[in-house]
Amino acid sequence: MTEAGTPSESTVDDSNGRFAARILAVFAVAALLTWALLAMMWSGTVRLPISGTVAQLAVNLLVAAAVFLLVKSRRDLAGVAVLQLILAFVISLVEISAGSVFTWYLGVGLVVWALKLRDVLVAVAAAAAFTAVGFVYAFPTLFGLVPTVALVASLVIAATAVGRWLLARRTARLG
């Protein structure tokens, strides 16, 4: 801490690493949930009680709410979390009206956090999410591969969460 009671820059960097790991973990769970929804929709063996896009709306809003709850103690991040709630709602409405298969919110939300936290691993996770969305739109006739692509993207996001968590622990031990 500095004299004025504000955290020093190294403390904020360590804290940003821990928050980035937590945020990535939330997005990884959401990506895996999205994959599960896609797998159920394409398998045909399990009928969803609600449409996949409405279920995805719920996933988007739950992700934004979970991240808000994680970061609300940090004033510098709480404003971005409120923006994420609004962004999740707007993107979800657009996705429902367009009949989107894989959510754009995972990529957009991770890009916003990558810019705010200045974290490369969050940016890598965002790239994985956008790659899955890009595949869905680039190859609309290859519906059978969509769950596989979503799973790979989900696993990349999960791997970045684990990597960021390990880096935050290492930094905390060394610092």
Side-chain angles (χ1 to χ4, degrees), residues 78-142:
V80 175
V82 171
L83 171 69
Q84 290 277 327
L85 282 166
I86 296 167
L87 195 60
F89 184 72
V90 170
I91 288 175
S92 296
L93 290 179
V94 170
E95 288 174 345
I96 287 173
S97 66
S100 180
V101 183
F102 191 80
T103 181
W104 282 87
Y105 174 69
L106 295 177
V108 173
L110 285 168
V111 165
V112 170
W113 283 114
L115 292 172
K116 177 63 180 169
L117 298 172
R118 296 185 178 122
D119 195 294
V120 173
L121 286 175
V122 179
V124 168
F130 277 128
T131 301
V133 172
F135 179 85
V136 169
Y137 286 100
F139 303 106
T141 57
L142 298 177

Side-chain angles (χ1 to χ4, degrees), residues 17-32:
R18 288 191 306 270
F19 276 105
R22 292 175 189 153
I23 289 167
L24 280 168
V26 169
F27 275 91
V29 168
L32 288 168

